[in-house]
Amino acid sequence: MSPPWNVNIHYDGTLDRLVPATAVSVLDVGCGDGFLGARLSRRVPHVVALDSDQPVLRRAQARFPDALASWQHGDVLTGVVTPGSFDAVVSNATLHHLPDTRAGLRRLGSLVRPGGTVAIVTFARTEWRDIPWALSALIARGVANRVRGKWEHSAPTSWPPARTFRQLRQHAETELPGARVSRLLLGRVLIRWQGPAAPATDIGA
Ligand SMILES: C[S@@+](CC[C@H](N)C(=O)[O-])C[C@H]1O[C@@H](n2cnc3c(N)ncnc32)[C@H](O)[C@@H]1O
């Protein structure tokens, strides 16, 4: 039997590829059923898979009992994770759950160490300028779901997304300066950011 597939799981691969090979610690924000956290834990020594919904977190743990991830219950916006403590922060289909997108981006950016990576796949609200993209994505998703067979995830959902593609780009530029924001074929938005490196310490006399 083929492994479960859906658009979220498809883009787990994109997020995985954006986590540097040297990463030792990664946080998956809004891990849901646990596919990304389990996938990353095969190569990253310390993976924290965080979700604010206890039942879905239990299902994730039950689905991946051998994954060397730390399954953690909590709200990413509160003090449950320590700022500046991860080499990378990834998040799939969760940013639109956060009540304030700008504050959410700022928070995710604050969780990586200097020079760390943030990689987010999220949804955008469709505005008229995005109709061609939305329509082609609808067709591409329909074909992909048909060909691959769509697995229904069991995580809490939030709909519709509050922010358009352009708003996401503006917010990312403000909160994560230098972030790259791009449209994805299956109708999602990818936000990539590498934080500024720590200032060099002057050890000269
Ligand atoms: C649509 S699901 C996506 C789950 C998974 N990442 C995926 O790709 O299928 C969004 C998840 O984010 C979680 N979530 C929402 N707000 C959160 C918060 N403030 N902190 C942590 N997790 C949160 C929800 O409980 C839910 O499991």
Side-chain angles (χ1 to χ4, degrees), residues 30-190:
C31 67
D33 293 284
F35 287 88
L36 178 56
R39 177 181 181 138
L40 288 166
S41 73
R42 297 203 292 260
R43 70 170 174 101
V44 178
H46 180 56
V47 173
V48 175
L50 175 74
D51 205 287
S52 55
D53 185 73
Q54 186 72 271
V56 81
L57 202 59
R58 280 204 208 96
R59 287 192 291 278
Q61 277 183 278
R63 176 175 286 276
F64 299 105
D66 301 327
L68 296 173
S70 165
W71 305 100
Q72 202 165 324
H73 177 229
D75 181 341
V76 68
L77 300 174
T78 68
V80 69
V81 274
T82 311
S85 58
F86 294 94
D87 295 320
V89 170
V90 293
S91 185
N92 196 349
T94 298
L95 182 66
H96 68 295
H97 282 244
L98 306 184
D100 178 336
T101 307
R102 280 187 59 171
L105 289 167
R106 200 180 318 135
R107 174 72 175 153
L108 266 52
S110 77
L111 297 174
V112 291
R113 63 161 177 76
T117 298
V118 174
I120 300 165
V121 170
T122 189
F123 294 91
R125 182 164 58 79
T126 303
E127 61 175 335
W128 65 268
R129 284 183 287 197
D130 288 328
I131 286 175
W133 171 47
L135 280 179
S136 54
L138 187 70
I139 295 167
R141 273 199 310 276
V143 172
N145 285 335
R146 188 73 184 258
V147 171
R148 300 294 306 269
K150 181 182 176 186
W151 182 79
E152 292 292 349
H153 73 74
S154 75
T157 55
S158 168
W159 201 258
R163 303 289 166 220
T164 64
F165 175 77
R166 278 164 191 78
Q167 289 169 332
L168 285 171
R169 199 166 52 189
Q170 282 164 2
H171 293 338
E173 275 167 10
T174 308
E175 302 301 336
L176 305 173
R180 283 187 289 164
V181 182
S182 44
R183 292 183 177 85
L184 298 174
L185 175 68
L186 298 176
R188 305 287 164 87
V189 176
L190 175 64

